[in-house]
Amino acid sequence: MINDQAAPDALPVRETASSDTGSTVGRVVIGLLVLAFAGVTGLFAPLLVMASDNCNEGDARAICSASVQQIVGGLPVGAAFVAALLAVVGMANRSAAGWGCLLAAPFLLVVSWVVALGLAGG
């Protein structure tokens, strides 16, 4: 076949945008929001360790132990890192697993906030 001749059974080229453009834009917007939430969590949630500032010797509150302070400081940072990875995977993947990653990431961040606030306030 000569290069300038089309095959007789060739399909015509579509001139409209594909239907999954909206899905891609939605996935990217949601992913960016999740990344912003992960950034806020990673920066500000470790500050909950300051709830131990008024601890005295013999204080029975959970935040007054060094191990709980490590959990309150480290859990949100680790959760923010994992949630950021999940958000990037969710934005890059077009399958149902991508949407699952985008749904799991904010859930993970909320759980880390609840646990850190519970330990800091209890």
Side-chain angles (χ1 to χ4, degrees):
M1 174 184 300
I2 300 175
N3 289 338
D4 59 347
Q5 293 178 352
D9 59 345
L11 297 173
V13 177
R14 292 191 331 178
E15 295 181 9
T16 60
S18 65
S19 63
D20 50 294
T21 301
S23 175
T24 301
V25 170
R27 207 173 48 249
V28 168
V29 168
I30 291 171
L32 291 175
L33 289 172
V34 170
L35 283 174
F37 186 28
V40 168
T41 299
L43 288 174
F44 295 114
L47 297 177
L48 292 171
V49 173
M50 289 191 293
S52 67
D53 285 350
N54 62 356
C55 288
N56 300 319
E57 282 189 47
D59 202 339
R61 293 182 299 156
I63 192 63
C64 294
S65 75
S67 60
V68 172
Q69 291 173 11
Q70 290 289 329
I71 293 170
V72 169
L75 178 67
V77 174
F81 180 75
V82 172
L85 288 177
L86 287 172
V88 170
V89 169
M91 286 191 290
N93 197 343
R94 292 185 179 198
S95 67
W99 284 109
C101 289
L102 286 176
L103 290 175
F107 177 76
L108 177 66
L109 293 170
V110 168
V111 167
S112 75
W113 273 99
V114 168
V115 170
L117 284 170
L119 291 172

